[in-house]
């Protein structure tokens, strides 16, 4: 399920809480979650295509990484 933070790139592109991401740039996300590293390291302005399922329908969403108001977590703050 998609996590959507207020002010973040996911919210800006139209992703909603409860959306199920079934593909990232045409590839199925793996259960390990290692794909998240690419999201955290993405350069501002770069993008990925997400295929999501919402309420039984599949849709494509272009996620463009942009600066947002989401507070980053660091090792020190954990």
């Amino acid at each position: 399920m998609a996590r959507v933070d207020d002010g973040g790139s996911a919210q800006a592109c139209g992703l909603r809480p409860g959306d199920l991401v079934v593909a990232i740039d045409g590839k199925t996300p793996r259960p390990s979650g290692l794909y998240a590293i690419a999201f955290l390291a993405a350069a501002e302005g770069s993008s990925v295509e997400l295929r999501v399922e919402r309420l039984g329908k599949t849709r494509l969403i272009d996620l463009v990484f942009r600066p947002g108001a989401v507070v980053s977590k660091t090792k020190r703050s954990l």
Side-chain angles (χ1 to χ4, degrees):
M1 295 285 191
R3 178 179 159 196
V4 182
D5 294 313
D6 290 336
S9 300
Q11 184 183 55
C13 77
L15 207 60
R16 297 182 187 166
D19 285 353
L20 178 62
V21 178
V22 295
I24 302 169
D25 281 338
K27 297 178 183 154
T28 304
R30 295 184 179 203
S32 68
L34 290 176
Y35 63 88
I37 294 169
F39 281 69
L40 297 172
E44 181 180 339
S46 64
S47 65
V48 294
E49 180 185 77
L50 303 177
R51 183 177 303 137
V52 300
E53 290 182 1
R54 178 187 299 160
L55 302 174
K57 295 183 179 180
T58 301
R59 61 186 71 220
L60 295 177
I61 295 178
D62 287 321
L63 174 75
V64 177
F65 295 98
R66 62 180 192 83
V70 179
V71 177
S72 297
K73 296 290 183 197
T74 64
K75 188 175 181 181
R76 174 173 269 159
S77 68
L78 296 176

